[in-house]
């Protein structure tokens, strides 16, 4: 179980902050004392304490062999819950920031025949890091990078100057039909045993996963990372009871509260970070009852097993949910 509150925070300095593309700002983070930063692998993210009580996750997008810096890219999203705005407005070059050591929920699978990386918009960040690692390892891969328009496409220069520039295909929503991503064709023309990695908006990921599923790709060869949860309709939310298996205590969760909020009020702290079912920090084992899963962190098979849940956002289908707490 990954747990933000158990990890100690590191202090880093913002060595550079710059606009990378329309609405996308990059931050280069270094150790204030010039020492190497903790190592990371492609697909890793860091928790950033944007301000008190506000922690956000950002994928590292620089090459994993670099130990002198972490690079993150932040999209100013009008629908976000304030994290990107706070980063943009409050965090400046020279500032000190608290971050977690890198964690990786989206690792590359070693020794595969070929890797297909598919990025939607700011979802390019972990995939760019993967491209560096795959290239360093001499592995076979292609990166398909989709964006709404050229001005919203981050890292075009970085990619052009990279050793893997020839392996990247750009697809612009507002460009010619011929350059647009033909996902069926991409998935049909890869070697057997290839692995697929997708990151981007929820709808984009769903479209790619559905297509891969229909094309018969085994689930074990498909990997995805969401950076925000889809909006959830909460109008029909109902009250239910949570029972803590270790003490037997029962606590009622009202329709307008999350399990995490209610338990915290009763002195039971579950560590949280994203509070929207994306990061995995609050992962909790389920002993009995049927959760109503609302996260995008667990896989479909894990949801179906009902053995664990993300209580920051998920609720209960059964009247009682017994948690391993
Ligand atoms: S706190 Fe991030 S998934 Fe629950």
């Amino acid at each position: 179980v990954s747990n933000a509150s158990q990890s100690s925070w590191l202090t880093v300095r913002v060595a550079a902050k710059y606009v990378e593309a329309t609405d996308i700002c990059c931050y280069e983070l270094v150790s204030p004392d010039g020492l190497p930063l903790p190592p990371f692998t492609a697909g890793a993210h860091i928790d950033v304490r944007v301000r008190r009580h506000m922690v956000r996750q950002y994928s590292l997008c620089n090459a994993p062999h670099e130990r002198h810096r972490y690079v993150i890219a932040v999209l100013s999203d009008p629908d976000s819950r304030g994290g990107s705005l706070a980063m943009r407005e409050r965090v400046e070059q020279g500032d000190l920031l608290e971050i977690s050591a890198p964690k990786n929920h989206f690792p590359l699978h070693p020794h595969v025949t070929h890797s297909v990386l598919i990025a939607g918009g700011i979802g390019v960040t972990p995939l760019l890091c993967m491209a560096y690692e795959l290239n360093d390892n001499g592995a076979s891969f292609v990166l398909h990078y989709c964006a709404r328009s050229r001005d919203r496409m981050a890292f075009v220069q970085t990619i052009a100057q990279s050793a893997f520039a020839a392996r990247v295909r750009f697809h612009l929503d507002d460009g010619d039909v011929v350059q647009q991503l033909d996902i069926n064709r991409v998935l049909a023309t890869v070697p057997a045993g290839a692995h697929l990695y997708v990151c981007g908006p929820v709808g984009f990921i769903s479209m790619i996963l559905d297509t891969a599923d229909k094309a018969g790709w085994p689930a074990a060869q498909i990997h995805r990372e969401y950076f925000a949860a889809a909006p959830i309709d909460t109008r029909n939310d109902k009250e239910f009871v949570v029972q803590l298996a270790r003490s037997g205590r029962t606590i009622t969760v009202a329709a307008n509260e999350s399990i995490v909020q209610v338990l915290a009020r009763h002195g039971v702290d579950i560590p949280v970070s994203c509070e929207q079912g994306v990061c995995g920090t609050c992962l909790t084992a389920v002993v009995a009852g049927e959760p109503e899963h609302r996260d995008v962190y667990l896989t479909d098979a894990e949801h179906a097993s009902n053995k664990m849940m993300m209580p920051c956002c998920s609720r209960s289908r059964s009247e009682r949910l017994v948690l391993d707490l």
Side-chain angles (χ1 to χ4, degrees):
V1 174
S2 144
N3 182 327
S5 72
Q6 284 169 4
S7 59
S8 49
W9 292 91
L10 308 171
T11 301
V12 290
R13 188 168 55 79
V14 180
K17 171 185 178 182
Y18 50 90
V19 174
E20 173 60 41
T22 298
D23 289 341
I24 297 175
C25 207
C26 265
Y27 300 78
E28 190 177 317
L29 311 176
V30 300
S31 161
D33 50 18
L35 291 173
L37 292 163
F40 65 100
T41 49
H45 71 272
I46 51 171
D47 294 333
V48 176
R49 203 196 289 272
V50 180
R51 61 176 192 232
R52 208 171 140 75
H53 302 309
M54 184 184 273
V55 175
R56 293 290 181 267
Q57 289 71 41
Y58 297 106
S59 295
L60 299 178
C61 47
N62 53 313
H65 63 247
E66 293 185 346
R67 295 292 305 278
H68 67 291
R69 64 174 188 161
Y70 295 147
V71 180
I72 57 172
V74 179
L75 171 71
S76 299
D77 179 357
D79 296 331
S80 92
R81 295 162 308 132
S84 57
L85 195 68
M87 283 292 288
R88 193 109 182 190
E89 290 181 350
R90 290 168 172 247
V91 179
E92 296 299 339
Q93 185 171 334
D95 285 357
L96 295 178
L97 262 189
E98 278 191 302
I99 64 168
S100 70
K103 309 169 188 188
N104 200 341
H105 301 321
F106 189 41
L108 278 169
H109 289 247
H111 317 304
V112 303
T113 54
H114 181 73
S115 299
V116 181
L117 316 179
I118 305 186
I122 192 67
V124 73
T125 49
L127 301 179
L128 184 58
C129 190
M130 287 180 172
Y132 280 113
E133 189 162 309
L134 289 164
N135 189 67
D136 281 356
N137 294 341
S140 168
F141 76 97
V142 62
L143 167 58
H144 289 275
Y145 181 7
C146 308
R148 275 158 59 189
S149 54
R150 172 66 181 77
D151 65 305
R152 297 186 157 271
M153 194 170 233
F155 305 117
V156 175
Q157 274 302 106
T158 306
I159 291 169
Q161 289 161 3
S162 73
F164 53 83
R167 295 171 185 246
V168 183
R169 312 277 176 271
F170 297 100
H171 308 281
L172 296 174
D173 289 356
D174 65 356
D176 270 350
V177 174
V178 286
Q179 54 84 61
Q180 282 174 5
L181 178 66
D182 181 348
I183 183 62
N184 281 303
R185 206 169 134 248
V186 166
L187 295 180
T189 51
V190 294
H195 279 233
L196 173 65
Y197 300 85
V198 192
C199 186
V202 174
F204 178 84
I205 295 182
S206 304
M207 182 272 289
I208 306 277
L209 297 190
D210 283 354
T211 311
D213 191 41
K214 287 195 186 104
W217 277 61
Q221 287 168 226
I222 303 174
H223 317 281
R224 79 280 188 264
E225 182 164 80
Y226 294 87
F227 51 80
I232 287 166
D233 183 353
T234 57
R235 284 172 300 182
N236 295 321
D237 284 358
K238 293 199 178 58
E239 178 181 295
F240 57 94
V241 169
V242 165
Q243 183 170 351
L244 310 182
R246 294 176 208 171
S247 62
R249 270 175 86 188
T250 54
I251 297 169
T252 300
V253 180
N256 60 348
E257 294 176 299
S258 73
I259 297 176
V260 160
Q261 286 167 343
V262 176
L263 293 191
R265 218 175 48 240
H266 287 81
V268 183
D269 278 322
I270 298 177
V272 287
S273 183
C274 72
E275 293 183 70
Q276 53 175 341
V278 172
C279 73
T281 303
C282 66
L283 184 70
T284 301
V286 177
V287 177
E290 188 188 350
E292 183 192 336
H293 298 287
R294 292 184 173 179
D295 65 282
V296 289
Y297 177 76
L298 298 171
T299 62
D300 289 348
E302 287 167 335
H303 283 160
S305 82
N306 285 334
K307 287 192 177 134
M308 52 192 135
M309 71 179 300
M310 316 309 300
C312 65
C313 61
S314 296
R315 302 184 63 80
S316 184
R317 283 191 205 290
S318 49
E319 283 172 18
R320 175 175 302 243
L321 199 57
V322 186
L323 299 180
D324 185 17
L325 292 169

